[in-house]
Every structure is written in structure tokens, then in C-alpha cells.
Amino acid sequence: MNGNANPYQGLFQQQMGRYLEVGQHSRKERLYKLKALSKALEHTYRQPIREALYSDFKKPFIETDLTEIYPVLAEIRHTERNLQDWLRPRRVNSPLTMIGSRSFIQYESKGVCLILSPWNFPVNLTFGPLVSAIAAGNCCILKPSEATPATSQLMQRIIEDLFDPAEIALVQGEVATAQALLELPFHHIFFTGSPAVGKLVMAAASRHLSSVTLELGGKSPAFVDETAEVETAAKRLAWGKCLNAGQICVAPDYILVTENAREALVKALIDQLDGFFQGKAESSDSYARIINDKHLHRLSESLRDATARGAQILYGGAVDQTTRFFEPTLLEEVPEDARLLEEEIFGPILPIVTVSGVEEAISFINRRERPLALYIYSKDKRTIRELNTKTRAGSGCINHNVVHYSNHNLPFGGINNSGAGKSPGYYGFLEFSNQRSIVRQYTPSTIEFLMPPYTGFKQKIVDATLRWFK
């Protein structure tokens, strides 16, 4: 900070002074906080949240309900039903050599945590991790994206209304704010965003050996073959790509389609897009806008790069800079080294790549960084098995896309370039918890018979033990 005092040092120290106390809060006290958040989202602030997100990037009210408010409410209710079981110490077996002891795992809070959230689902991806952090008994500082100013301002108001800043606080700011926060020795950092920024977060965390959860993105492919229900596949893929105007980490990034299915799939995708928006996405109330001019320019340049290299637009491609509108766009014959097939698209552009079969699709996927999700549309069991066993991805669906994120009983997260760590539900609780291993000895310990001085008799005991376990 150029020699200046860190502006968040005071807030951080406030929480450092309280985290042990907060970590001892009972299940009832933790649920009280979660219920307060639930009531605020469902009743007090539901309409203001809708209006704030519409102001930031014209997010339809229904999408806000389904993808911002409902997931957090569902996460809270899931936690309410299960927290008693999650908090209970878990007995584990002890080996024969530790006879007379009991071993168990005690779940304790990590301490003071930092949650850095993105702009694409600001309410969901700020308050969702917060639910896990509260359930595990942590103090938290939240830093939402500056790209959604109306929503970030509202979230700050919600947090200030509900919580003591010595336990939970939200700060706003741009890159310098995030950098200042990352200079502090948090016990855990939960970051959602791009792989490029994720590397910076991980580097900053390494200076304090802070544990991290990284929910990143990448190029999530969808495979479609001739055995798939093409109409259904097209409907689900079009929905997954147009939700939030494609600004979603688990959106299908590109399609790998077999030659025999290509023509039917393209026609079905065009029909679905026309049906969703009556052929006029620009005037539709069901379609969001690109978050800002920077991302609109990025998408426009990526599309221009692809067409300059010979890619053919099959549908869409229109852009209105004044309203940040980007039409849902299908294209094919995209060269492998084009930006659209090298960088995460994070927008409503869907490249279609024709492949000869599953082996070519597997090779195409494995030449790239490991994706956050892989979607398979097929009825052929062998094809499904090969795609799932011969590739690596953080998650996925068979004959669907995106919806796996909504199952709180599944671990969600990436692998390598697409992330590290898992959430939500029990897995989120574990991310924000230290799994403390404890052995309690009730009788004289067998190890006492093998303490110094070492004798020939003790060597015979060791030799016999080693033979026993061969």
C-alpha cells in the first residue's frame, strides 16, 4: 500500500478479536443469523434486489428470483435441516496398535474469512458462500464486484442491517480494495471469478499460507451425438447459453456435435432461440445485457477475430453498444486457435464444432485446460462412459446442463485451471471448517512399551508387529 496503513486493518483486527468467541456459537445462534438473512432476502429486500440487478445489467426479475434469491434461500433451508449432523463430532476407527483409545474428528471454524465475489450472480455468489461460513462459525469480510454498483450498495445495506461488523462486514471498492484485503492474513479466502485473477488470489494467499477455495471457470464443452433427443438437447443448451446472457461460469461454452446430428441440432437451436425471444432478443424482457462496455468490446472482438479467420455465423451476431445488447449467436467453422476456442467466452456466443465421433471429441476436450463442467447429450451408454472416464472436469450433466449447480447434495467446483475446493451444502461447510483430528486415550498406551531404552526384546515386538501387518 505504498507505505500507508492498510485501510481495512482495523476491521480485520476487530474480527480477529472475536473469531474464537464466534466459533463457539451454538447451532441455534448460527441458525438465528441465517434465518435473519433468509427473511431479508425473501421479504424485506426481494424487490429492491430485483430492481438493483435490473439497473446493473437489465437482469429479468424471474431470472433474479431463480438464480439469485432462490439459491441462497434453498442453501439456508438445506443448512437448517442438516447443521446439527454436520456439527456433530465424527467417530472414526482406530488401528489395533492404538488399543484403548478413541479417535474422532471435531469440526471447528477456520476463523476470519474473506469472500471475494463476482458480478455475474452478485447476490447468489456473495451470500451463498456466506451461508457456509456462518454455518461453520466464522467471521467474514465480503468484497463484491464493483461492476454491479447498485447491487453491491444494496448488499452492503443488508449486511449492515443484519450483522455486527465485528462478525460480518461488507466493503466496496475496485481492484485496489481487493489488493488491500489480500494483504491481510485471513485464515481462509473464498474467491469466485476468472482463472487469471484466481492465480493472483492464490499467490497472495500463499504469503500468509491462507487456505483457499477457488471457484473459477473455463471452457465447459457440450457433446451431442445422433442418439440424443435433439429437440430437448437444443432447448436445454439454448437456455444454458442465454441465461444471464451467457455470463455464467457453467454455461455450455462450445458444442461438439457428431456429423450425423449437426444439421438437426443447428435447426433446433435456431428454432429455440427464436421461440425464447420471439425472434427479437433486443426488445425482449427475458434477456439480460452485457455487464459493461469492457466485456461487450471483448465479446465483439472475439467474434470479429473468429469471422476474420473464416468462421460462419449461423444465427445472431448483432450488437448495440448503447444498450450493451449482444444477440445470441451461433457459429461454426471456428479455427482452433481463434479466441472463441481458446478463451472462456462468458457471453451469448456458442461455437459449434463438428466431430467424427466420441474419440475426436475426447481428444478435442483434452487438448484444453480442464473444464468446470462437461455436458453429454447421448443415449449411448458406451459413449457416456468413455466421455466420463477419458476426460477430467469439475462436474457435469448427462442430457442436461447447468442444473447440477442447484443440487446442494452434490459437491460443486472445478479442477486445476477451473478451480480448487468444493461447495455448497455440506461441502461448503467443510471448506470453511478445520477438520481437527483428536485421539483420546482411556487405557495405558501400547506405544509406552516401545519407548526408550530400545532393547532386543522391544525389537522382537516390532518385528512381530511388522510381520502381522504384511
Side-chain angles (χ1 to χ4, degrees), residues 4-44:
N4 296 325
N6 192 306
Y8 306 106
Q9 182 71 40
L11 177 61
F12 178 77
Q13 289 301 330
Q14 224 183 340
Q15 295 198 356
M16 284 291 288
R18 285 281 290 279
Y19 84 85
L20 288 172
E21 176 191 339
V22 172
Q24 295 178 65
H25 282 180
S26 66
R27 178 179 67 93
K28 184 177 180 181
E29 290 172 301
R30 299 178 194 193
L31 291 181
Y32 179 83
K33 297 178 196 176
L34 293 179
K35 287 175 180 176
L37 180 59
S38 177
K39 181 180 178 181
L41 296 181
E42 189 171 7
H43 301 292
T44 313

Side-chain angles (χ1 to χ4, degrees), residues 317-358:
V319 177
D320 185 339
Q321 293 184 357
T322 59
T323 61
R324 301 198 308 274
F325 166 78
F326 201 109
E327 188 178 15
T329 303
L330 305 175
L331 70 166
E332 62 180 358
E333 298 180 28
V334 181
E336 277 202 50
D337 61 349
R339 293 183 200 172
L340 289 177
L341 289 180
E342 287 194 332
E343 302 171 3
E344 183 180 12
I345 296 171
F346 220 71
I349 306 173
L350 187 56
I352 300 171
V353 179
T354 303
V355 294
S356 58
V358 65

Side-chain angles (χ1 to χ4, degrees), residues 37 40-42 45-46 48-50 52-53 56-57 59 63-65 67-73 115 117-131 142 144-145 148 150-156 158-159 170 405:
L37 180 59
L41 296 181
E42 189 171 7
Y45 289 101
R46 180 183 175 190
I49 288 170
R50 291 164 137 197
L53 283 160
D56 282 330
F57 59 117
K59 194 166 202 169
E63 279 194 16
T64 292
D65 288 344
T67 65
E68 297 276 12
I69 297 172
Y70 168 75
V72 182
L73 296 178
I115 296 174
S117 58
W119 51 262
N120 59 325
F121 293 98
V123 174
N124 182 351
L125 298 179
T126 301
F127 292 154
L130 178 62
V131 172
L142 315 174
S145 172
T148 50
T151 309
S152 293
Q153 183 66 36
L154 179 61
M155 288 194 294
Q156 183 172 12
I158 294 171
I159 292 297
L170 186 148
Y405 176 81

Side-chain angles (χ1 to χ4, degrees), residues 255-298:
I255 295 175
L256 299 170
V257 60
T258 58
E259 294 168 353
N260 293 339
R262 180 255 168 212
E263 185 176 350
L265 179 67
V266 169
K267 181 182 183 304
L269 283 168
I270 292 172
D271 289 344
Q272 288 297 335
L273 291 172
D274 278 339
F276 284 168
F277 309 115
Q278 292 78 52
K280 297 178 181 179
E282 188 169 5
S283 58
S284 173
D285 291 332
S286 301
Y287 188 64
R289 295 297 181 262
I290 304 305
I291 186 65
N292 54 34
D293 292 338
K294 174 186 172 182
H295 283 280
L296 184 73
H297 178 74
R298 174 184 60 81

